[in-house]
Structures are given as structure tokens and as C-alpha cells.
Amino acid sequence: MAPFPSGLLVLTAPLGSLPRRAAAALAEAAGLVTGPLYVHLQPGLRLDGPAPRPAAPPRAPALLRALSALYAAAASHRELDVRVLLGHGHRLARPPRVLLADGGAGDAGPVRVALRELAAAAYGCPAELPAVLLSGSDGPEAPHDGPGAELPVYSDVVVGGTFDRLHGAHRLLLSACCLLARRRLLVGVADGELLRHKVLRELIEPYELRVAKLREFLADVQPSVLYDIVPLGDPYGPAITDPELRCIVVSEETRKGGEAVNKKRIENGLAALELFEIELMEDPQHSLSEEEKISSSSLRQRLLGTLLRPPRDSPTLPPRPYIIGLTGGSGSGKTSIARRLGQMGAFIIDADALGHAVYLPGSPAHGQVVAAFGAEILNKDGTINRKILGAKVFGNQERLKNLTDIVWPEIARMVREQIREAGAQGKAVMVLDAAVLLEAGWQEMVHEVWAAIIPEDEALKRIVSRDGLSEEAARDRLRSQMSDGQRVREAHVVLSTAWEPDVTHKQLLTVPVVRWRRRGSCCSAASTARPPQRAAEPQRDREEPGPGANGANGANGAAQRAGTDRKRRGPDRAGTARARHGGRCRFRAVIPQPSGG
């Protein structure tokens, strides 16, 4: 049976049973649905009895425990978009295409009929939807839930967060808010300066997309609450000025933030808010370099080395070799990534080396550069003094453009020559290592753009240590280059050397396992990569001494880094990448499908 794009799962067991049954139910549902899986909880409902009448689950602490179990179990099934419904009587944003129920609910025939009737009455689902009964419970039935205590209710509730890639912990937090709020939920979404120090902030979804996902989830889960979603430019937002708020929902790690909000409210003459705390959720699939809790930063880290958008499929590109354009700012670790790709079998074109060749006497560009910038840029032997040339163009955009208009086309010509030579030699994959790949418009020469990114503070440390610059000079160099955010917007694959070298290598192995294949063939060692070692902090994979910016952009920074050995190629600290069987990990002579495969 082909997977359905959406589904509605009806669970009728007592809430006390769900923490034990959630994993099995979602595991079975994951084999049938890829996409939104709505969950309707109605404890004690008999689907094999009279026509079922939909009802909301009881607002009890047991419901929160059930929600926590369901969303924690969902973390093991990334293809599922689980949304546990807390209200009914509305159309769902992604109408279900299949109905699911616990197979222990009764006789199959009557249960399927009742399931369709319930879905139609509660959410307006069409009567002809397929209905599938799951295999049933995986343990003894828990006693039916007694009346017990109810959760408190507040007229207006507030919560804040980044809400990037809405995950299970977000959904539990928001669901708790929906249960507590009688009238309005105020949601503050971090943006701007609040994102500055987030891990891999360049991969955070745009504010508008995060808000759209929030609205859809909240409207699906509980449509009766008024949702007020606002941007947060500081840690407090309207929570310290809104007199109608009564409660703030926090997690264990944000409780101090909630207390800080109350301190500000009291200073502003407002009543303190009740703090309602939600437990953190453990991530069952976290790696050694990721947080143990479910977090957006871990999800962003898992994007590294994956295809973010389809490769270019241009008739001007040769089908073979498959060309990757690798770019990154100074200190990003781009050079060490290129070296590792070369060790894995890729053919490397070093645009920085070609940039040096462009300035040699006798090259087509040499005379043009001298004519444009004067004979004073020449050494006694007729070679171009890049320190003097760099001083002439640094900080002067017009002069820099004059220079790049001369040298970039010549470098591009040399690159195309090497591409033709590599194709004639039967090379399968080649990497164009170029810091100015995007600035020069060379992305038109490659099938995919790979961007190496690094936090600015770490890039500064690397540049200062590697090139002997002052921190101010290093910062000026970074500011003269394209930002990592701009590179990510153009990239098909993003990589980062912010962790231990083995983590970077794992990112590289992620790529060929998906796409470097043809008719079932793939990189032989991709599935046997060693697990990464735990990183004490995400700041370890130092870039080996090498160019911070290559091609003509080298002239832009030449005044700052004259004398830097731009050709050092020491041994890879991480060692040669090897599969567990001991063989060297190399690219096979196969190429990915241009469509992305």
C-alpha cells in the first residue's frame, strides 16, 4: 500500500495507557502516512457501539503526559507531522486521506463505519475515506481515567521561543498553552538580534515561514483560542507590558527567563504571571555532538551535508564530470573540506592557485592588470606585487571591480579548461574550490553549490591564529566578504567545521549516500562511516593554514595577509577517512542524476 500524504489516527484507550502505547501506534502509522498525522484522543469511546459523538479529551494532567508520550514517540519518525487535536468541529488544514484506529476497538466492519462517521462529524472528512485498523494494543489495558484534577485555566497566556522547524517539544509546549488559555494565547517568536548567537543561525527558517507553521498548527490543534503572534526583538517583548496576561508557559531551561519577565512586570507596576513549567523532551536519536533534548539546533545540525534544494539541471553543464562548487568565507574550513573531498576521490580545482597563475608574466591578464593599475605594482622581476595591488583596491569598490573584471573571466576560462580535461580523463566528480564562487557568478559552471559556514567569533579566532592579524583586521576581512547567510541562500548543501573533525567528515559522507549514485550504485563507504566523537564545544575543527579568500579576492585582502603561505597542505588531522572494513573511502566512477535523484 502506497503511503498516504495525511491521516487521522483515532485513539480511544484511557489516557493512562498512552505513554506505553504511543510508540507502537505511531510506528505502525508511520508505515502508512508520510506527512501530517492528526491524532484524535477520545478515551473510552466504543467505535463498535452506537454512532460515535466526538468529544474533546479531558483537560487533566494525564492528558499532558499522553501528549508528551505521543510527541516524544513522533521524534523517531521524522516523516510524520504529528498534531494531537484538542478540539473538534473544524476543517483541518491538510485534510486526512486515510483514517486509522486501534485494531482492538472491536469488529472490523462496524469499527470502520464508525470511524468514518466520527471523522465526518468532527472534522468534515468525506465518507469514502479508506479506514485501516492498526494491530492493537501492546500490553494490558490501563484502568479508565477517573475524574481527577483538572489543569488550571487562565484567560490570557503567553509563551515565547524561536519555533524553528516546529518539533515535538515545541508542539507539547504549544499544546499546553492551548489547554491553559481560555481566551487568548500570545506567542512571541524570536527574530533579529535574538538569533545572533543561535547554533547554525543561517539555517533558521525565515520568520514568516515559522509564523505560518505556528498558525497552521495552532488553528488545527485548538481553533477556539485567539492567537496573537508577534516578533520578539528582545527577551521580554509584550510579556512585560500587557496587563491582560495571567500565565507564562516555560520549560525547565527557560524558567529563569520567565522569572526575569515577572521581575520586569513588577517594575512596571503589573502583577506577576503564574509560571507553568513543561518538562524537556529527550531526543531518542541525538548523536554525540548534539543536545540530548529535542532541539531546533540539533535539527539544523542534521541538515548539514543534506540536499537543501534540487541541483541545477542546465543544458550548458556537461553530464560528466559532476561539478560541485565549494565556497566559504575566511576561516570557514573550506580548504580542509576540499582536501578531504580530494582524499575521498574527487578531482579538485583550486581557484586560488589559478588566481596566482593569472598574475604571472606572460598570462593574458598580466598586461591588463599592469595597464589598469600602473607599473608601480611590479616587482623587479616583472611579477605583480600583490601586497601593493591589494593596497590599491582594498576598500575601493570601483577599483576592486576593475580588477575582478580582468582576472575573474580569465580564472573562469582556466577552470573550464580543467573541467574539459577532467571529463576527458573519465573523472566522475570534481570540486571547484573557490571563495568567490558566488561573487564571480561561477555557480553557472557547477551542478551544486556547497557552502562552508562557521560562527563569526570562531572565524575571527582562526584568522588571527593562522594569519597573525589583529582581531580588528580579521573583522575587516570578514566584513569585506559575502556573509554566510548570503551563501546559504544560494547553497544546495551546507557544511560546517564548527565541531570535531569526525563530525565534519560525517557530513561529507551524508552527501554521496543519497545522490552520488546511478542505478543503485553509490559511494561504497557512505553507510559505514564512523560515529562522531563527542565535542566538548562546537569550536574545534580548525582550518589548516591556507587561503582565506581565493581568486581575485585574494588581492582584496593581500594588504592584510602578505606573506601568508597560501599553499600549505599538511596531513589531515582527522586522518584518512576509512570504512570499517579498512578500505579507503572514495568516490566511485558514478555521477548523481541531474534531477537530484
Side-chain angles (χ1 to χ4, degrees):
M1 179 184 297
F4 294 91
S6 58
L8 174 65
L9 171 62
V10 175
L11 298 177
T12 60
L15 293 178
S17 298
L18 282 178
R20 184 180 66 254
R21 301 159 67 111
L26 289 187
E28 197 167 353
L32 298 169
V33 176
T34 55
L37 177 66
Y38 296 101
V39 181
H40 175 92
L41 299 180
Q42 195 163 338
L45 176 67
R46 296 289 303 180
L47 287 174
D48 58 350
R53 298 179 62 181
R59 296 179 56 265
L63 176 56
L64 277 182
R65 291 191 291 272
L67 291 170
S68 179
L70 284 163
Y71 284 125
S76 298
H77 306 285
R78 298 175 188 173
E79 70 280 8
L80 286 182
D81 173 5
V82 175
R83 308 179 188 189
V84 184
L85 304 169
L86 304 175
H88 59 86
H90 62 289
R91 298 298 180 106
L92 301 172
R94 314 288 179 88
R97 294 291 181 256
V98 64
L99 306 178
L100 310 174
D102 192 328
D107 294 336
V111 167
R112 287 191 175 93
V113 172
L115 189 56
R116 293 185 179 102
E117 291 175 349
L118 178 68
Y123 308 109
C125 297
E128 66 275 6
L129 286 182
V132 178
L133 303 189
L134 305 182
S135 60
S137 64
D138 58 349
E141 188 81 3
H144 285 277
D145 306 303
E150 285 201 352
L151 295 170
V153 178
Y154 306 92
S155 60
D156 294 68
V157 175
V158 63
V159 70
T162 306
F163 299 110
D164 180 42
R165 306 179 192 281
L166 207 60
H167 54 64
H170 290 145
R171 293 166 193 245
L172 176 61
L173 183 72
L174 294 166
S175 297
C177 293
C178 292
L179 291 171
L180 299 174
R182 182 174 61 245
R183 187 183 76 90
R184 178 180 64 126
L185 173 59
L186 174 61
V187 184
V189 180
D191 197 28
E193 192 63 23
L194 282 185
L195 305 181
R196 180 176 177 81
H197 298 292
K198 294 287 185 181
V199 175
L200 298 172
R201 64 186 177 92
E202 295 85 2
L203 290 173
I204 293 176
E205 294 172 320
Y207 172 81
E208 294 77 13
L209 178 58
R210 287 180 282 142
V211 168
K213 290 183 176 181
L214 266 174
R215 287 195 186 280
E216 182 176 299
F217 175 80
L218 291 169
D220 269 342
V221 167
Q222 180 54 280
S224 64
V225 174
L226 173 65
Y227 298 111
D228 188 6
I229 303 177
V230 299
L232 281 183
D234 63 71
Y236 306 106
I240 62 173
T241 58
D242 191 327
E244 296 180 332
L245 295 175
R246 296 292 180 267
C247 172
I248 182 169
V249 181
V250 297
S251 68
E252 296 172 54
E253 66 178 2
T254 61
R255 184 178 182 87
K256 289 185 178 179
E259 293 170 350
V261 165
N262 274 340
K263 183 178 179 181
K264 289 284 188 180
R265 284 181 67 88
I266 292 171
E267 291 174 0
N268 291 339
L270 298 174
L273 303 174
E274 290 286 339
L275 266 64
F276 192 93
E277 184 176 309
I278 298 295
E279 292 183 358
L280 297 174
M281 294 174 60
E282 184 177 346
D283 186 344
Q285 295 184 323
H286 73 88
S287 71
L288 294 177
S289 64
E290 297 172 348
E291 296 180 271
E292 293 184 0
K293 67 181 179 71
I294 294 178
S295 72
S296 297
S297 60
S298 293
L299 297 182
R300 291 194 294 275
Q301 188 176 340
R302 290 169 195 168
L303 291 175
L304 298 174
T306 67
L307 188 65
L308 302 179
R309 54 183 57 87
R312 294 183 66 243
D313 187 6
S314 171
T316 63
L317 289 172
R320 187 183 188 92
Y322 194 81
I323 309 165
I324 294 161
L326 176 63
T327 188
S330 187
S332 66
K334 173 184 63 65
T335 302
S336 63
I337 290 173
R339 183 164 56 253
R340 293 183 192 191
L341 289 170
Q343 291 168 350
M344 294 168 69
F347 182 84
I348 308 298
I349 297 178
D350 186 347
D352 182 59
L354 298 181
H356 278 276
V358 162
Y359 292 103
L360 294 177
S363 69
H366 181 274
Q368 297 179 56
V369 172
V370 173
F373 294 96
E376 62 268 25
I377 66 171
L378 292 176
N379 295 313
K380 291 182 179 180
D381 61 359
T383 59
I384 292 175
N385 187 315
R386 296 184 67 174
K387 181 178 179 180
I388 297 175
L389 177 61
K392 281 180 172 284
V393 302
F394 185 76
N396 187 316
Q397 292 302 313
E398 183 178 354
R399 287 185 176 180
L400 179 61
K401 185 177 186 306
N402 289 341
L403 177 61
T404 58
D405 284 348
I406 295 171
V407 298
W408 281 353
E410 180 60 17
I411 295 174
R413 182 190 64 78
M414 298 167 75
V415 167
R416 290 189 179 94
E417 283 185 2
Q418 292 206 11
I419 291 174
R420 286 192 291 270
E421 291 174 7
Q425 295 172 21
K427 301 296 184 181
V429 177
M430 66 187 310
V431 176
L432 171 58
D433 175 8
V436 295
L437 180 84
L438 299 175
E439 295 92 327
W442 295 340
Q443 64 266 41
E444 300 302 315
M445 293 193 292
V446 304
H447 295 91
E448 295 181 25
V449 172
W450 290 12
I453 65 174
I454 198 74
E456 182 177 306
D457 290 346
E458 176 64 12
L460 287 172
K461 292 177 186 177
R462 294 180 180 186
I463 296 169
V464 169
S465 173
R466 184 190 67 196
D467 297 343
L469 298 181
S470 68
E471 184 173 324
E472 181 180 358
R475 197 178 301 277
D476 287 342
R477 179 188 294 182
L478 289 176
R479 288 174 177 169
S480 72
Q481 299 174 1
M482 179 179 284
S483 70
D484 279 348
Q486 291 172 305
R487 293 187 184 96
V488 168
R489 284 193 288 273
E490 297 287 335
H492 299 87
V493 172
V494 174
L495 304 163
S496 179
T497 61
W499 289 271
E500 295 286 354
D502 275 358
V503 178
T504 304
H505 184 65
K506 183 182 178 183
Q507 295 169 25
L508 297 179
L509 290 182
T510 300
V511 183
V513 78
V514 178
R515 297 188 326 286
W516 290 1
R517 64 173 185 239
R518 173 161 290 189
R519 295 187 178 91
S521 180
C522 66
C523 182
S524 58
S527 61
T528 56
R530 292 174 295 163
Q533 309 211 350
R534 179 179 294 276
E537 57 180 3
Q539 305 292 340
R540 293 294 188 84
D541 195 7
R542 307 286 181 181
E543 185 183 35
E544 297 292 339
N550 59 22
N553 202 41
N556 193 14
Q560 298 175 327
R561 57 180 183 275
T564 298
D565 179 7
R566 301 167 63 87
K567 297 296 178 186
R568 289 179 60 185
R569 291 294 186 269
D572 190 349
R573 292 185 298 117
T576 301
R578 296 183 182 274
R580 285 180 183 163
H581 55 70
R584 186 183 297 270
C585 174
R586 302 187 65 80
F587 299 115
R588 288 186 180 178
V590 293
I591 59 176
Q593 300 291 351
S595 62

